[in-house]
Amino acid sequence: MTAIGTATGRQLPVVVTSPVAVWFEDGWTVTKRNLVKIKRSPDMLVFAVLQPIMFVLLFSQVYGGAIQVRGTDYTQFLMAGIFAQTVVFGATFSGSAMAQDLKEGLIDRFRTLPMSASAVLVGRTNSDLVLNGISMVIMMATGLAVGWRVQSAPHEFLAGVGLLLLFSYAFSWVMALLGMSVKTPEVINNASFMILFPLTFISNAFVPSETMPLVLRVFAEWNPVSSLVQAARGLFGNVGTAPVPDVWTMQHPVLTVLVGIAVMLAVFVPWAVNKYTRISAK
């Protein structure tokens, strides 16, 4: 804090804010703006959780009797896959929102404000993290209703939830970059599904990878979503006696996911910020 003089000779304090504090304040302001938007449009949250609920009911109640998993009940096997699918699909909101903001010219209005260039992206990904957290609570309540149970210690359960949300946050930066790379918001859905469907369905989320043909099995075993699912199953105590593929990513799923998160953040955060800076400078 410094002081400046006035005409009467009095000294008035002037608060000097650090750049880091300004960056946090800008990011928090944009985060609040996005959360208020969700509050005013609750249908966003409704549709965000309806699809995973439908998958839970479809696979557990319709297909569950026909799908057998060695060493565990299918509902226990399924839920970690549903959780992973929910947070990965929830990350697409960053991409669609950025594409929509670009179309509506909101980025041009942000450019006129004295704010950090990355604040818009930080606020966008932060609000998606909150939305994914709410979705996770609803998904877990749905899982409990159909017979899913946590078989691990409380700290392992919390670690599993944290790992899922951290992965979703890192993946939000990937989708934010994709949203700024497409020309229209209408394209983002098709572009994101081309990425998300192979990642989620060619994985161990819904069926064991050992049942797949060789090429698909190899893809599934090295798929980061499979590692996320396997890590969540282990931390929630839902593995049972089911065999685990003798592949490094499946034998060390938590470490694999943490490495993947670090790589996504290291690559896509600066890439997305640079992309946003170039777009807002036009």
Side-chain angles (χ1 to χ4, degrees):
M1 180 180 295
T2 60
I4 59 173
T6 65
T8 60
R10 296 176 57 191
Q11 298 291 314
L12 297 179
V14 176
V15 177
V16 179
T17 307
S18 70
V20 175
V22 171
W23 181 80
F24 273 107
E25 184 177 355
D26 290 344
W28 174 239
T29 299
V30 180
T31 300
K32 288 192 294 184
R33 173 250 179 191
N34 292 328
L35 293 177
V36 169
K37 186 176 180 181
I38 295 175
K39 181 180 178 181
R40 292 175 178 173
S41 303
D43 54 312
M44 293 177 60
L45 180 60
V46 171
F47 286 106
V49 299
L50 272 182
Q51 179 177 307
I53 289 176
M54 291 174 61
F55 271 107
V56 171
L57 298 177
L58 178 66
F59 278 89
S60 66
Q61 306 301 309
V62 178
Y63 299 147
I67 301 176
Q68 302 297 321
V69 179
R70 286 190 296 162
T72 185
D73 175 72
Y74 183 66
T75 299
Q76 312 305 317
F77 176 88
L78 170 70
M79 290 309 302
I82 295 292
F83 296 148
Q85 183 199 50
T86 299
V87 298
V88 170
F89 274 56
T92 61
F93 282 105
S94 287
S96 58
M98 292 304 300
Q100 190 66 36
D101 286 347
L102 284 170
K103 179 181 179 180
E104 295 176 351
L106 188 62
I107 302 302
D108 294 331
R109 280 178 274 174
F110 282 145
R111 183 174 55 185
T112 64
L113 300 175
M115 62 189 301
S116 170
S118 61
V120 174
L121 294 168
V122 171
R124 181 70 264 165
T125 52
N126 284 349
S127 59
D128 283 356
L129 181 62
V130 174
L131 184 61
N132 267 324
I134 296 172
S135 299
M136 280 285 294
V137 172
I138 297 174
M139 286 300 96
M140 289 183 175
T142 306
L144 291 172
V146 298
W148 171 71
R149 295 294 183 267
V150 177
Q151 306 292 336
S152 61
H155 71 277
E156 292 177 309
F157 166 74
L158 293 176
V161 173
L163 194 67
L164 286 162
L165 293 179
L166 190 57
F167 186 92
S168 76
Y169 179 75
F171 198 71
S172 291
W173 285 93
V174 180
M175 301 312 297
L177 176 65
L178 181 62
M180 292 184 290
S181 301
V182 298
K183 293 184 177 180
T184 62
E186 291 75 18
V187 176
I188 187 64
N189 288 331
N190 292 332
S192 60
F193 283 143
M194 289 180 64
I195 299 173
L196 298 179
F197 267 75
L199 286 177
T200 53
F201 286 98
I202 308 178
S203 72
N204 62 356
F206 303 106
V207 294
S209 59
E210 64 189 44
T211 64
M212 301 178 185
L214 178 61
V215 174
L216 295 182
R217 184 173 76 246
V218 172
F219 179 88
E221 290 172 348
W222 290 91
N223 182 347
V225 173
S226 291
S227 298
L228 180 64
V229 173
Q230 189 67 29
R233 285 194 184 118
L235 291 170
F236 295 155
N238 297 146
V239 176
T241 59
V244 178
D246 189 19
V247 179
W248 194 91
T249 54
M250 296 292 99
Q251 294 291 329
H252 307 87
V254 175
L255 180 57
T256 302
V257 174
L258 290 175
V259 171
I261 290 170
V263 170
M264 282 192 287
L265 291 176
V267 173
F268 288 97
V269 170
W271 192 354
V273 171
N274 182 61
K275 179 75 172 180
Y276 176 81
T277 303
R278 286 190 284 111
I279 290 175
S280 61
K282 292 181 181 179

